[in-house]
Amino acid sequence: MAYARTAAPAVDECAWCGHRLGGDAEHRPGRIRCARCGVATTSPWPSDEQLAEAYAVWYRPSAGRFSGVGDAVLKRTRSALANRLHRVLPPGPVLDVGAGDGTLVEAFRRHGREAVGVDPYASGASPHVRAVELEEMTGGWSAVIFWHSLEHLRRPVQALRHAADLVVPGGVLVVAVPNAASLQARLFGGRWLALDLPRHLVHIGAPALLSQLEALGFRVERVSYLRGGQVLFGWLHGFVGRLPGHPDLYDTIRRNEARQATQSPAFRLYALAAAAAALPLSLVGTAIEVATRSGGTIYVEARREPKTS
Ligand SMILES: [Zn+2]
């Protein structure tokens, strides 16, 4: 990865709240945690060139990211999300921010609901995903969805503010992000799956996210520490990564052309066997996280107050 952590000066301002990261900030490898809002900002702050490199073709090839059942599972979980949201949303179009290949957008459209995605790195696979920034979008939407995209944005709070303006009264903001305050984040530290430097620019916990949504005039209706996905996988990835050779399980399950580094068949087998062995303990970890509301991801549905007459 071309992202050098030492070549650039440390970031000096919190990307979430704008607070100056001075002596009260907590320095961790690859990020600095703000004393005011608790959100950590990736440091050094990657350049546009470094991010372009980090999103190069291997990250999301048009043939799909994962081998075998992986992409099918991904499609089914997006489908389940669309089914659920279709029931709780008022009529009207849906906007998916960071829509990728448009899997979620297509799932909404199968319900007969208008849906559009935006993604500056759009693969072009879906005609309903536009390669533009969120800030270029206007109009009234029954939902704006950030499915694991908010943490990729340089100005996440400004993006939430713009999204809030796009949501009609009674409509919903949906946000799923990695939970930087989760048990697995603390346990696996610099090797945690969802740290994902330098693509993840902010590292958010639930309090900062929920209070921001409320400050925008939204009522938080649902918070889940499981629905955001990747909770069990985060544990598996973390345990496997601790073994000799530090196998990257996320890379192991990707297609050859979607892998950061080549892995020999023997090394892949080793990683997969380790994952199978780590499954029972990972299930326990997941259960503890869900029970203590500290899961590896945060999923929030927040509704804009309907107009009262
Ligand atoms: Zn802050």
Side-chain angles (χ1 to χ4, degrees):
M1 187 93 332
Y3 172 63
R5 290 185 190 175
T6 50
V11 73
D12 60 1
E13 199 176 77
C14 173
W16 187 259
C17 77
H19 185 60
R20 215 186 136 64
L21 297 171
D24 55 352
E26 186 189 333
H27 290 246
R28 296 176 183 177
R31 66 242 192 249
I32 302 177
R33 187 171 180 269
C34 173
R36 183 163 83 180
C37 73
V39 172
T41 299
T42 291
S43 178
W45 192 243
S47 66
D48 288 347
E49 292 71 29
Q50 285 169 323
L51 285 184
E53 173 100 351
Y55 288 108
V57 179
W58 67 264
Y59 183 65
R60 278 200 294 226
S62 54
R65 273 181 283 179
F66 303 107
S67 53
V69 294
D71 273 321
V73 169
L74 209 63
K75 199 169 172 184
R76 270 189 64 166
T77 55
R78 294 298 187 281
S79 212
L81 177 67
N83 293 350
R84 168 183 168 72
L85 289 174
H86 185 64
R87 286 198 309 272
V88 303
L89 296 180
V94 166
L95 178 61
D96 183 18
V97 181
D101 59 8
T103 308
L104 183 59
V105 166
E106 299 306 330
F108 275 108
R109 298 185 80 92
R110 283 197 293 277
H111 285 287
R113 187 184 282 267
E114 175 65 17
V116 169
V118 292
D119 195 326
Y121 299 97
S123 64
S126 165
H128 310 293
V129 177
R130 305 179 194 165
V132 299
E133 300 284 350
L134 167 65
E135 285 71 14
E136 295 172 54
M137 300 300 287
T138 56
W141 303 79
S142 70
V144 177
I145 302 166
F146 293 87
W147 183 264
H148 292 279
S149 57
L150 192 64
E151 68 274 21
H152 293 258
L153 302 179
R154 288 195 183 274
R155 295 157 69 85
V157 171
Q158 285 85 338
L160 277 180
R161 204 171 288 142
H162 185 78
D165 288 342
L166 297 178
V167 174
V168 297
V172 177
L173 263 178
V174 180
V175 181
V177 290
N179 182 7
S182 62
L183 196 55
Q184 55 181 266
R186 279 175 279 170
L187 194 63
F188 299 125
R191 288 190 186 278
W192 180 42
L193 169 70
L195 192 59
D196 201 18
L197 300 172
R199 284 174 292 273
H200 290 183
L201 298 170
V202 285
H203 310 272
I204 312 163
L209 178 61
L210 299 183
S211 64
Q212 186 58 56
L213 292 170
E214 282 163 0
L216 290 168
F218 283 69
R219 190 179 63 248
V220 173
E221 287 191 339
R222 170 177 283 258
V223 182
S224 166
Y225 291 89
L226 189 61
R227 195 178 285 277
Q230 299 179 10
V231 179
L232 177 62
F233 189 76
W235 282 97
L236 290 170
H237 185 275
F239 283 132
V240 171
R242 287 197 155 189
L243 294 174
H246 303 299
D248 185 325
L249 187 62
Y250 186 64
D251 239 14
T252 300
I253 65 163
R254 292 162 76 98
R255 290 178 195 273
N256 269 322
E257 62 272 28
R259 236 171 255 150
Q260 286 191 73
T262 50
Q263 293 186 355
S264 72
F267 193 76
R268 288 189 73 194
L269 195 63
Y270 161 57
L272 291 172
L279 183 60
L281 206 50
S282 297
L283 285 167
V284 171
T286 300
I288 293 171
E289 281 194 326
V290 171
T292 57
R293 299 179 68 75
S294 64
T297 52
I298 316 161
Y299 170 89
V300 186
E301 291 169 10
R303 196 176 296 267
R304 183 169 169 188
E305 302 289 352
K307 275 204 181 82
T308 48
S309 52

